[in-house]
Amino acid sequence: MTVRAAHVLVHLVFVLAMPPLLVGVIARTKALLAGRRGPPLLQPYHDLAKLLRKGMVRSRTTTWVFVAGPAVGLVTTLLAALLVPLGGHRAPISFEGDFVLFAYALGLGRFFTIAAALDTGSAFEGMGAAREATFSALAEPSLFFGLLVLGRASGSASLSGMLGPAVGAAWGTAGAALASVVVSWFVVLLAENSRIPFDDPATHLELTMIHEVLVLDHSGPLLGLVHYGAAMKLFVFGALVLAVAAPLGGLDPWLAWALFAAASLGLAAAVGVVEGVMARLRLPKVPSLLVAACVLAAFGPLFLVR
Amino acid sequence: MSVWLVLTAIALTATSGLPGLLCPRETRAFERLCTALLTLGAACAAASSVGALARRGGAALSAPWPVPGGHLAVEVDALAAVFVLQIAVLTALGAWYGLGYWPQRERAANGRKLRAFYGVVTAGMLLLTVARSAVLFLVGWESMALAAFVLVSTEDERPEVREVGYLYLLSTRFATLCLFAMFALLGAASGTLDLRGWGAAMASPARDAIFALGLCGFGLKAGVMPLHVWLPGAHANAPSHVSAVMSGVLIKTGVYGLVRLTAACAAPPPWWGYALVALGVLSAVLGVGFALAQHDLKRLLAYHSVENIGIILLGLGVAVLGRSTGHPALVALGLAGALLHVWNHGLFKALLFLSAGAVLYATGTRELDRLGGLWRAMPRTGLAFLVGSVAICGLPPLNGLVSELLVYLGLFRLGSGGRGPWLAGALAAPALALAGALALACFVKVFGVVFLGSPRSSAAEGAREAGPLLLLPMALLAGGCAVVGLGAPLLAPALDAAVRAWAPEVSAPTLARVAPLGPVSAASAALLAALAFAAALLGPLIRAAPRAQGTWDCGYAAPTARMQYTASSFAELLVGLFAWALRPTEQLPSLQGPFPTRASYHSHVPDAVLDRVLRPVFELIYRVFESLRPIHRGSIHLYILYILGTLVALLFWR
């Protein structure tokens, strides 16, 4: 019991403390590839601390929804993070069918993030809102195709079962299906977290942004919540991809935590490499890539027909 | 006892509008009397259904009836009770709302007619759900369907209302035609017109034809894509509380028919299940696709009914596949998911239509792009709409999540039934996820465009909050959404009873064993608590923030309300992606020279089936039959002569 409690505690520490580090690693990798030295790895923590200390301004047009957006986004991402198993350990919250709660809790966060953008009445934020809604809708089927494959391979209907020790064995019997899931979920990770090639987090032109333009009017602590929530979402999707790509179930539990931390940093570095070597897609091309990822994921269940 | 209660309810609701017809137009006391009678009837019906669900057994009544092939047979079993309860609750709430929304002093011309036929529709729906003989079922079905025509065309002075009214009438006549054929086949194959004797017919070779006819007839009423043609127009143009009742319960009578029909077959062929799943996917994805493209608030909600009927069909399909492959867990998950979604859709769709009605009442327009910023004037209506939107998207912590979870679990476990069911589930589950994400896009768009931002027209600027008679039913429905979401385990016994009534020969496991109703409700409650905690934490910080300036808008100095993103611009990307199905028509402005003059832009998404298939076909039929016009003289004695001639000819022929 106490061992389980200790693992839940480690899970919480990872979820709460690690996300900004991933953002730092991505920025650093990207800078190194561009021949610069880049910001320190811990810079995102300093940025968050600075934002939380600042004051903020609100537009006359806005209502409480504007404030609810970042808060609901963070809380729902936290709930999702408690449902995903990390490093092969059972997640703190786990039950049959929890994958639906996972997807729809993130949906609630998206609902309020978009509503908060529309609350400002600005056309720019409207653009960001429409793009966010469209692209995440296209990413959703890929997520479920992957979950179907994992559910079939593991014989379980909970995330902890699907992404648990059964994955390692499934690579032997259903490797092709899992490979298609890994590729398509990596694309979903990039899209859901507004990374290159879908969106450039460092762009300076509002007309072409997705996530940054969505939160254009948020400032101070609210902007801090937005950044923190976005980093946590990146962490959660990274954990999903890693649970399939680098299954750690069956190892020594404490070694698994260390390996998970290393794998997360490695994944962040991989995202940084993608950002460093690729250009942003033109907006009209984005849906094609998402549909391609979805079609690739759709092959997964076919491999499991028997 | 249950049976007598429900018969009393039918009598009370059917006659609830009569006092009004006997009163002069100007009297206003009758609208209260009429609503009181209807509420009393609904209370009887609700008591009867709760009794039937709690008692785990049906109550039946039979009596001779001198109608050819008919006897009076009425039974309230758990399946009927699920629908009776919903009819009772929603029609009563709709009637209360009607007191404020369609008061006699403002609507002297059609208020009495509306109330009289509202009662008839209610009674018809109750009758058809408890009827156990085919003739009685059709009596209920027809009184509901024909009285609903009068409700749809309440404002028949408007040409577009007349048009959708006739379209509805035509569709419902066609549905009844299919049902007549279905009942004739059933009666011939089983030798009885009693619904309980149909197990025999379901073992005969005629069963596939029976199912196809039922799917057509009941599917038309339920609004299954591609048979949904009548639904968007009728829901959009009826008075809002009538739209709520139509979308919340009337189309569910089609679902009830399908549930009752499939219940009779102990070993359904797998293709029934596949057909239901395929129609479910088509309705869910294209229903929300068409909804995204609408500019009219109520039309948009109507297309979402098509989507939700699709989700219900997915659940029913899972149950049928489970039954035909012999997997009791699938039966329990699928049917409980379908029936719970019937309840849930009734709650949140009625809530959405009622709050849309309040918006229409306050602003006089259903055009999304003329609304905006209504939260300031109508915060309570806005909150009701927000609750409905979150619920219909299946988001925690409300009720939509619970039923969608059951359907998802059923789809994920279809693999236990073999290769075919696995593939069906593997295609349907991601399609359901896509439909859910598109629904989210659609409802966040509607909520944002209607209630947030700044008003886009003077009508939206001058809006006032709805009165208590409008707000009370909305508050109760919103409460219902929360109760089902947070207290899902409480409903499990009722759903178990319905599953047993549907498939008595399958020893289906109880929901508590196959579905995580407890954990979902607990997680939802925890989420609510965490949100409340965040609100308490952020509250003081937010109140301290200065709000002296407008939205930043990237440095643009003088933004106007018309420069906001509209509903059309929000949906443009998605409509473009679904253009292969939606076929939007656009009129682009032509701008010439350095100082162009005023130009306008129109976009419109016609209904694919109605405007691109049915209209041309019917025009062709019209041209062909134009040659028969000379025999239509419009004089009644000629028509009677035709009937006489036909009878004589038939008698000679036999």
Side-chain angles (χ1 to χ4, degrees):
Chain A
M1 197 61 214
T2 47
V3 175
R4 169 85 182 129
H7 284 305
V8 168
L9 199 66
V10 177
H11 187 111
L12 274 175
V13 169
F14 262 97
V15 165
L16 292 174
M18 195 170 188
L21 182 61
L22 299 186
V23 178
V25 170
I26 294 178
R28 191 60 175 274
T29 317
K30 209 170 152 184
L32 288 178
L33 281 175
R36 295 179 283 119
R37 216 172 63 220
L41 282 177
L42 298 184
Q43 186 60 40
Y45 296 93
H46 295 294
D47 289 346
L48 284 180
K50 178 188 72 184
L51 284 171
L52 290 179
R53 280 199 308 272
K54 279 191 157 188
M56 62 173 155
V57 288
R58 283 177 67 195
S59 151
R60 276 191 303 271
T61 323
T62 57
T63 64
W64 65 275
V65 175
F66 177 77
V67 182
V72 178
L74 182 60
V75 170
T76 53
T77 313
L78 187 60
L79 175 61
L82 294 180
L83 291 165
V84 176
L86 303 181
H89 301 85
R90 208 155 71 83
I93 307 176
S94 165
F95 54 87
E96 294 279 287
D98 57 2
F99 63 93
V100 182
L101 181 64
F102 171 81
Y104 282 65
L106 288 176
L108 182 68
R110 194 158 73 226
F111 187 101
F112 275 90
T113 310
I114 296 175
L118 293 174
D119 199 14
T120 61
S122 151
F124 290 103
E125 303 200 39
M127 281 176 208
R131 290 169 192 162
E132 170 87 3
T134 306
F135 299 151
S136 48
L138 293 178
E140 199 89 340
S142 311
L143 180 67
F144 274 80
F145 274 124
L147 290 171
L148 273 162
V149 167
L150 293 163
R152 177 82 159 168
S154 66
S156 165
S158 77
L159 283 175
S160 288
M162 290 172 175
L163 301 169
V167 178
W171 272 104
T173 53
L178 291 195
S180 71
V181 172
V182 170
V183 175
S184 120
W185 276 10
F186 188 67
V187 176
V188 170
L189 175 144
L190 296 177
E192 283 279 353
N193 293 290
S194 307
R195 314 301 315 190
I196 288 176
F198 294 96
D199 185 15
D200 187 355
T203 181
H204 289 286
L205 184 58
E206 293 89 350
L207 277 173
T208 62
M209 294 181 194
I210 301 173
H211 185 257
E212 291 304 307
V213 75
L214 203 59
V215 297
L216 214 49
D217 265 73
H218 290 89
S219 54
L222 281 185
L223 187 61
L225 290 188
V226 168
H227 284 330
Y228 186 45
M232 197 184 284
K233 195 169 164 196
L234 176 71
F235 174 80
V236 168
F237 276 90
L240 271 190
V241 174
L242 283 180
V244 188
L248 296 171
L251 294 178
D252 174 68
W254 296 104
L255 177 68
W257 282 119
L259 287 178
F260 172 73
S264 293
L265 297 179
L267 185 71
V271 174
V273 170
V274 170
E275 301 221 338
V277 300
M278 278 188 83
R280 225 188 67 116
L281 281 177
R282 282 198 299 129
L283 268 178
K285 295 278 177 205
V286 167
S288 337
L289 182 55
L290 282 169
V291 172
C294 176
V295 173
L296 179 66
F299 277 100
L302 295 190
F303 289 129
L304 293 181
V305 168
R306 44 177 181 267
Chain B
M1 186 60 192
S2 278
V3 174
W4 288 109
L5 268 176
V6 87
L7 289 179
T8 316
I10 292 171
L12 275 173
T13 50
T15 53
S16 65
L18 286 186
L21 296 181
L22 302 176
C23 295
R25 240 182 202 204
E26 295 74 27
T27 40
R28 280 160 48 191
F30 85 84
E31 56 183 1
R32 287 183 207 137
L33 174 65
C34 161
T35 308
L37 281 175
L38 196 107
T39 309
L40 189 63
C44 289
S48 149
S49 62
V50 169
L53 283 173
R55 219 180 34 254
R56 303 178 157 211
L61 178 82
S62 279
W65 192 23
V67 166
H71 61 287
L72 282 173
V74 178
E75 182 183 359
V76 190
D77 64 349
L79 269 188
V82 166
F83 288 84
V84 167
L85 181 61
Q86 192 189 23
I87 295 167
V89 171
L90 289 187
T91 48
L93 290 181
W96 296 354
Y97 183 93
L99 278 181
Y101 186 73
W102 213 264
Q104 189 62 20
R105 61 173 189 283
E106 287 173 28
R107 310 280 188 170
N110 46 31
R112 296 184 306 170
K113 180 178 83 173
L114 178 70
R115 285 196 170 77
F117 283 98
Y118 188 88
V120 176
V121 167
T122 308
M125 289 192 290
L126 288 174
L127 181 60
L128 81 90
T129 33
V130 297
R132 282 301 168 273
S133 72
V135 180
L136 202 58
F137 179 93
L138 283 173
V139 169
W141 182 269
E142 280 299 275
S143 20
M144 168 194 82
L146 295 180
F149 163 69
V150 183
L151 295 189
V152 169
S153 42
T154 300
E155 294 175 278
D156 52 9
E157 67 278 5
R158 283 162 47 207
E160 73 267 24
V161 172
R162 289 201 294 274
E163 190 180 329
V164 299
Y166 283 125
L167 179 61
Y168 167 75
L169 192 62
L170 195 68
S171 316
T172 193
R173 302 313 303 157
F174 187 73
T176 308
L177 190 66
C178 294
L179 292 190
F180 266 98
M182 184 193 80
F183 281 123
L185 281 179
L186 271 169
S190 64
T192 171
L193 282 174
D194 193 297
L195 270 71
R196 289 162 294 195
W198 286 351
M202 287 303 180
S204 75
R207 65 179 184 178
D208 287 341
I210 291 171
F211 178 72
L213 282 168
L215 202 55
C216 198
F218 292 129
L220 250 171
K221 183 56 77 186
V224 175
M225 187 85 64
L227 304 172
H228 66 284
V229 288
W230 64 273
L231 195 146
H235 283 28
N237 285 294
S240 295
H241 59 302
V242 173
S243 315
V245 166
M246 288 186 82
S247 183
V249 286
L250 193 138
I251 61 171
K252 305 295 167 40
T253 58
V255 174
Y256 170 75
L258 283 174
V259 168
R260 186 59 80 185
L261 186 66
T262 45
C265 190
W271 80 264
W272 291 19
Y274 294 134
L276 288 170
V277 169
L279 285 175
V281 166
L282 188 70
S283 304
V285 175
L286 286 188
V288 65
F290 276 102
L292 266 166
Q294 301 306 313
H295 307 302
D296 176 328
L297 178 54
K298 284 177 72 182
R299 239 180 124 77
L300 179 146
L301 292 179
Y303 272 112
H304 273 285
S305 296
V306 177
E307 181 221 344
N308 281 279
I309 288 293
I311 298 175
I312 293 169
L313 286 195
L314 282 177
L316 188 59
V318 168
V320 169
L321 280 174
R323 212 173 173 188
S324 75
T325 56
H327 285 82
L330 292 180
V331 173
L333 283 172
L335 195 73
L339 292 181
L340 186 57
H341 204 72
V342 164
W343 272 351
N344 285 343
H345 180 243
L347 286 172
F348 51 63
K349 186 50 71 65
L351 173 60
L352 286 166
F353 265 118
L354 294 188
S355 31
V359 169
L360 176 59
Y361 193 78
T363 63
T365 179
R366 305 193 306 243
E367 281 289 314
L368 287 173
D369 292 341
R370 295 176 55 76
L371 296 166
L374 288 183
W375 186 279
R376 235 161 284 284
M378 315 174 70
R380 297 194 178 106
T381 306
L383 188 61
F385 197 90
L386 178 63
V387 169
S389 306
V390 170
I392 198 174
C393 296
L395 302 176
L398 297 174
N399 56 351
L401 175 71
V402 184
S403 45
E404 290 200 22
L405 176 76
L406 294 179
V407 175
Y408 270 119
L409 268 181
L411 290 172
F412 266 63
R413 292 200 179 145
L414 269 181
S416 57
R419 172 187 290 195
W422 158 248
L423 280 178
L427 292 176
L432 181 55
L434 177 67
L438 291 175
L440 190 154
C442 191
F443 273 97
V444 74
K445 168 191 95 168
V446 176
F447 177 68
V449 165
V450 173
F451 289 98
L452 305 178
S454 333
R456 291 180 177 79
S457 66
S458 54
E461 220 159 336
R464 295 238 310 275
E465 180 63 284
L469 272 173
L470 272 62
L471 287 173
L472 178 69
M474 291 195 246
L476 290 176
L477 288 168
C481 290
V483 166
V484 175
L486 298 172
L490 301 177
L491 299 174
L495 293 171
D496 282 333
V499 171
R500 269 196 302 278
W502 187 72
E505 86 290 350
V506 177
S507 53
T510 55
L511 267 190
R513 283 186 42 217
V514 289
L517 295 181
V520 165
S521 286
S524 292
L527 179 64
L528 262 189
L531 289 176
F533 179 69
L537 223 58
L538 278 174
L541 203 76
I542 303 310
R543 275 189 285 279
R547 306 186 49 166
Q549 62 293 312
T551 298
W552 180 53
D553 232 8
C554 297
Y556 191 76
T560 70
R562 289 201 54 195
M563 288 163 61
Q564 294 176 94
Y565 233 45
T566 60
S568 321
S569 34
F570 189 97
E572 196 231 344
L573 270 170
L574 279 168
V575 172
L577 286 173
F578 281 86
W580 51 272
L582 305 182
R583 312 283 179 117
T585 54
E586 279 187 320
Q587 266 180 21
L588 295 170
S590 63
L591 299 178
Q592 276 152 4
F595 299 102
T597 49
R598 284 175 80 93
S600 66
Y601 165 83
H602 297 279
S603 73
H604 174 58
V605 173
D607 191 279
V609 182
L610 179 64
D611 292 322
R612 298 196 188 275
V613 181
L614 288 186
R615 251 182 237 281
V617 168
F618 273 86
E619 264 157 31
L620 188 71
I621 294 174
Y622 182 79
R623 274 206 297 282
V624 170
F625 283 90
E626 222 173 6
S627 55
L628 289 179
R629 188 166 277 178
I631 66 168
H632 281 288
R633 298 252 164 219
S635 45
I636 203 121
H637 58 272
L638 263 180
Y639 293 125
I640 298 178
L641 184 66
Y642 294 156
I643 293 174
L644 183 71
T646 314
L647 274 177
V648 170
L650 282 175
L651 286 173
F652 267 112
W653 178 56
R654 281 303 287 248

